[in-house]
């Protein structure tokens, strides 16, 4: 039987080698899909600019454009009704699939996300291409898996490879693509996964670069590194970005809840609000339309007044919130980088006006603020640093980027702000009733690294109550594989391979995270936990 336990384990033995070839294949397919998406969005931007110039000629044509926007909203609403999982960036949906709580139909998502994202950006909504590119790349990877009839365990690796390829092709950032897929999506590290994701990411980047060139997304002219005497400003900037990142997360979730709770609004009528806003902004402040790439490049000249910058930040922030909160297909990844750049410009402009800072360092602070703001919101500091480095082509700011990102990360953590994509996933699962995957005979293998101080660390296997319907099938300790039994002593940094039925994947994943990643209880907590277990039904394998 194809999905039997012996076959699944045998397949796993050769998985590292197999994944290299599959990673290249997924990278090629994902690279082509995301390349086509980028080209489509490029035409969308050009067409939007031409349309707005034409429509400004008379009141009649202005009214006509608003009617066209309503029509575009109706079409996108139909796509959302046909495939609800294309809503938003797509990264929370992918995270939900990685932990077994969502199942996406790969070809429906590719078709609907491609069309919905194109129409939303052509209308001028403040959304990004990166989230859709990651989802499109991952779904291309899933398509390769389904067409070649791979198992669910192997499919998870191909989803990760596809996500790496998607981000790489979207931003010409292969290293950031790999880091994001490991840091944010797969949430575990293995050499085989790293190599396969890198193969996929590099392949997709190569394909994209052949048509769109090797130029970085942002081309800032940095005259020199930030002097040491300005490093005090990095701490202050990191603090501000951490606070604003927490505010962004809370308001994003709140606006999404407001859209969901307004009576008589559905998938389509919610879209009318941001689409009509795009029409108004298009005839008043067109630089705020779309993802905001050109706006970032204009900020570096330092010619705008401080009050104007604050007003633009507030309007871009509100427009981005409404665009994403409505459920339109599009990401927050790039818009939040734009918002970060605007915060950095305001910070640097204030420094120039009130603290005698040289204007030549404005570009430095734009780059630093993008990384710090991304880190505070997404809580993926390594991805943020590497992404900004690859997007700008500047290696000289590594120390400054690290300082700002770490401070922003610490501030957001101390304020107990959840990473945005985890919060969005929880919100999505609540709306969908947290449906478990249908029952099936296929088994899934999951890897978990035991952290220092976790509940599983420094205990024998038989001393731990493992999730029901789970089985520990392998234990990796450094370069050596240990055959696990009840008396096996678990050490920090050990990697457990756990098998479970596909229908139980989400529940087992959550319980294993509690055991392997969370801190052990104190003695009073353990006594409370024992009393609770005696009063509730449950059980697990020993």
């Amino acid at each position: 039987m194809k999905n039997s336990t012996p076959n699944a384990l045998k397949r796993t033995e050769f998985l590292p080698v197999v994944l290299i070839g599959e990673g290249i294949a997924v990278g090629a397919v994902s690279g082509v899909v995301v390349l086509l998406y980028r080209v489509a969005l490029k035409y969308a931007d050009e067409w939007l600019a031409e349309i707005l110039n034409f429509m400004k000629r008379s009141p009649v044509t202005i009214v006509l454009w608003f009617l066209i926007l309503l029509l575009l909203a109706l079409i996108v609403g139909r796509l959302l009704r046909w495939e609800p999982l294309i809503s938003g960036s797509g990264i929370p949906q992918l995270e939900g699939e990685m932990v077994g709580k969502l199942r996406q139909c790969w070809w429906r998502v590719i078709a609907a996300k491609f069309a919905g994202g194109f129409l939303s950006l052509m209308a001028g909504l403040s959304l990004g291409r990166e989230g859709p590119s990651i989802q499109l790349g991952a779904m291309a990877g899933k398509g390769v898996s389904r067409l070649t009839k791979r198992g669910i365990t192997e499919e998870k690796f191909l989803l990760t490879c596809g996500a790496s390829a998607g981000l790489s092709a979207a931003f010409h950032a292969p290293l950031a693509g790999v880091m994001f897929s490991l840091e944010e999506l797969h949430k575990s590290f293995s050499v085989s996964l790293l190599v396969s994701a890198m193969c996929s990411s590099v392949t997709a980047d190569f394909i994209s670069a052949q048509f769109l060139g090797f130029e970085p997304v942002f081309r800032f002219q940095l005259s020199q590194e930030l002097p040491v005497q300005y490093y005090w400003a990095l701490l202050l900037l990191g603090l501000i970005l951490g606070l604003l990142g927490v505010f962004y997360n809370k308001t994003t979730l709140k606006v999404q809840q407001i859209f969901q709770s307004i009576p008589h609004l559905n998938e389509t009528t919610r879209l009318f609000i941001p689409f009509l806003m795009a029409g108004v902004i298009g005839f008043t402040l067109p630089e705020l339309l779309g993802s905001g790439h050109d706006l970032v490049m204009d900020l570096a000249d330092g010619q705008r007044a401080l009050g104007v910058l604050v007003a633009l930040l507030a309007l871009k922030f509100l427009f981005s919130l409404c665009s994403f909160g409505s459920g339109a297909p599009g990401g927050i990844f790039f818009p939040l980088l734009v918002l970060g750049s605007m915060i950095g410009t305001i910070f640097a402009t204030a420094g120039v006006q009130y603290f005698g800072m040289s204007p030549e360092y404005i570009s430095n602070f734009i780059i630093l603020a993008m990384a710090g703001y991304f880190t505070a919101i997404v809580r993926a500091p390594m991805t943020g640093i590497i992404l900004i480095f690859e997007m700008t082509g500047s290696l000289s700011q590594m120390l400054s980027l690290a300082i700002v990102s770490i401070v922003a990360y610490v501030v957001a953590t101390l304020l107990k702000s959840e990473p945005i994509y985890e919060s969005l996933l929880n919100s999505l699962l609540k709306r969908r009733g947290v449906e478990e995957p249908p029952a099936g005979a296929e088994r899934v293998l999951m890897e978990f690294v035991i952290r220092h101080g976790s509940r599983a660390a420094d205990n024998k296997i038989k001393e731990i109550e493992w999730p029901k319907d789970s089985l520990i099938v392998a234990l990796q300790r450094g370069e050596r594989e240990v055959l696990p039994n009840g008396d096996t002593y678990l050490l920090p940094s050990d990697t457990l391979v756990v098998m479970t039925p596909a229908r139980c994947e989400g529940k087992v994943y959550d319980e294993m995270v509690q055991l392997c990643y969370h801190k052990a209880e104190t003695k009073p907590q353990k006594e409370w936990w024992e009393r609770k277990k005696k009063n509730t039904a449950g059980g697990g394998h020993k």
Side-chain angles (χ1 to χ4, degrees):
M1 181 178 175
K2 179 178 179 295
N3 293 326
S4 63
T5 299
N7 283 335
L9 293 175
K10 186 177 180 179
R11 177 76 176 173
T12 304
E13 294 178 10
F14 302 98
L15 193 59
V17 178
V18 173
L19 281 176
I20 294 176
E22 292 182 343
I24 295 173
V26 169
V29 176
S30 300
V32 171
V33 172
V34 176
L35 171 63
L36 293 175
Y37 187 65
R38 282 190 63 179
V39 171
L41 295 188
K42 180 180 179 182
Y43 280 112
D45 287 340
E46 294 175 357
W47 293 346
L48 176 60
E50 294 177 1
I51 290 171
L52 290 176
N53 287 332
F54 176 80
M55 294 298 182
K56 290 178 181 178
R57 295 182 178 181
S58 71
V60 175
T61 54
I62 291 176
V63 173
L64 177 61
W65 176 237
F66 280 94
L67 293 176
I68 294 174
L69 288 174
L70 291 176
L71 177 61
L72 294 178
L74 284 171
I75 297 173
V76 175
R78 290 286 185 180
L79 292 171
L80 282 167
R81 185 169 297 181
W82 181 59
E83 180 48 74
L85 290 178
I86 67 167
S87 173
S89 71
I91 295 176
Q93 291 89 321
L94 182 55
E95 290 188 352
E97 177 137 9
M98 293 297 294
V99 298
K101 295 181 179 180
L102 292 174
R103 290 286 184 262
Q104 301 175 81
C105 177
W106 65 272
W107 62 269
R108 286 165 61 105
V109 170
I110 289 177
K113 192 77 170 190
F114 195 109
F118 169 76
L119 294 176
S120 297
L121 267 294
M122 194 174 76
L125 269 62
S126 183
L127 298 169
R129 67 173 183 251
E130 72 307 313
S133 297
I134 291 171
Q135 189 179 22
L136 289 171
M139 290 301 99
K142 185 172 185 177
V144 171
S145 173
R146 292 301 169 93
L147 294 175
T148 56
K149 299 182 179 179
R150 300 305 183 202
I152 293 181
T153 300
E154 199 166 333
E155 184 170 285
K156 296 295 177 63
F157 287 95
L158 299 186
L159 284 169
T160 304
C161 290
S164 300
L167 183 57
S168 174
F171 281 150
H172 183 43
L175 292 178
V178 174
M179 185 56 64
F180 181 80
S181 64
L182 298 179
E183 194 174 25
E184 181 64 25
L185 297 178
H186 210 88
K187 299 187 185 298
S188 64
F189 176 88
S190 66
V191 175
S192 59
L193 178 60
L194 173 63
V195 173
S196 60
M198 179 59 74
C199 289
S200 182
S201 186
V202 170
T203 301
D205 182 54
F206 176 79
I207 292 174
S208 177
Q210 293 305 303
F211 294 89
L212 301 177
F214 289 89
E215 291 292 331
V217 175
F218 297 120
R219 285 175 293 207
F220 291 107
Q221 297 297 324
L222 299 181
S223 59
Q224 55 184 321
E225 297 180 27
L226 193 70
V228 176
Q229 61 263 32
Y230 288 147
Y231 271 39
W232 63 268
L234 300 181
L235 301 177
L236 179 58
L237 179 61
L239 173 63
I240 293 172
L241 292 170
L243 294 173
L244 292 178
V246 172
F247 179 72
Y248 178 93
N249 285 4
K250 291 184 180 298
T251 51
T252 297
L253 295 174
K254 187 64 177 178
V255 169
Q256 191 180 66
Q257 292 172 3
I258 292 173
F259 269 97
Q260 295 290 331
S261 62
I262 296 177
H264 311 301
L265 288 186
N266 54 33
E267 300 93 337
T268 302
T269 51
R270 290 190 197 103
L271 297 173
F272 288 163
I273 298 173
F275 274 75
L276 293 176
M277 287 179 65
V280 175
I281 292 173
F283 293 115
T284 54
L285 291 168
E287 61 264 39
L288 298 182
L289 293 177
S291 59
H293 175 273
D294 293 337
L295 177 61
V296 175
M297 301 308 300
D298 291 340
L299 293 174
D301 59 17
Q303 300 300 314
R304 297 176 188 262
L306 187 60
V308 173
L309 290 171
V310 173
L312 288 175
L313 173 63
L315 291 173
K316 183 66 174 178
F317 181 76
L318 291 173
F319 186 36
S320 298
L321 288 179
C322 290
S323 297
F324 185 79
S326 68
I332 59 173
F333 201 114
F334 200 97
L336 70 85
L337 291 179
V338 174
L339 292 173
S341 70
M342 298 176 77
I343 295 170
T345 306
I346 293 172
F347 183 87
T349 303
V352 171
Q353 292 185 8
Y354 300 109
F355 299 100
M357 188 182 298
S358 175
E360 64 182 349
Y361 298 118
I362 291 179
S363 294
N364 298 65
F365 281 99
I366 290 176
I367 294 174
L368 297 172
M370 283 195 289
Y373 199 53
F374 175 88
T375 299
I377 293 170
V378 182
R379 305 285 275 285
M382 290 303 298
T383 300
I385 293 172
I386 294 174
L387 178 66
I388 300 304
F389 152 61
E390 291 188 297
M391 289 175 66
T392 60
S394 173
L395 188 61
S396 62
Q397 304 296 306
M398 278 298 183
L399 177 59
S400 303
L401 284 170
I403 293 174
V404 172
S405 297
I406 290 172
V407 173
Y409 183 91
V410 170
V411 171
T413 301
L414 291 177
L415 293 177
K416 299 181 179 179
S417 173
E418 282 191 352
I420 186 62
Y421 291 124
E422 290 185 14
S423 301
L424 292 172
L425 173 60
N426 292 334
S427 176
L428 174 63
L429 293 176
K430 286 180 181 179
R431 294 197 303 270
R432 295 178 63 87
V434 197
E435 298 175 359
E436 290 291 339
E442 186 166 2
R443 298 295 191 267
V444 180
L445 295 176
M446 297 183 287
E447 291 185 356
F448 301 90
V449 179
I450 298 177
R451 292 183 180 173
H452 290 270
S454 67
R455 299 175 184 179
D458 302 313
N459 284 295
K460 292 182 178 180
I461 288 180
K462 66 183 180 182
E463 296 173 343
I464 301 170
E465 184 172 1
W466 300 100
K468 187 178 179 181
D469 296 314
S470 67
L471 178 67
I472 298 175
V473 296
L475 189 153
Q476 190 77 25
R477 181 167 294 163
E479 298 296 326
R480 185 166 58 97
E481 184 170 323
V482 178
L483 185 64
N485 58 59
D487 291 321
T488 301
Y489 200 74
L490 300 177
L491 299 176
S493 300
D494 284 350
T495 299
L496 293 177
V497 180
V498 179
M499 176 176 286
T500 182
R503 58 184 173 81
C504 304
E505 182 185 1
K507 180 175 180 296
V508 170
Y509 176 88
D510 289 340
E511 294 185 29
M512 287 299 300
V513 167
Q514 293 291 325
L515 289 171
C516 296
Y517 298 155
H518 288 205
K519 292 183 179 180
E521 304 98 333
T522 61
K523 185 175 180 181
Q525 289 174 321
K526 288 183 178 179
E527 293 175 352
W528 174 86
W529 182 249
E530 291 298 328
R531 290 196 301 271
K532 181 179 178 181
K533 287 193 292 185
K534 290 179 181 179
N535 296 329
T536 57
H541 74 94
K542 303 293 184 184

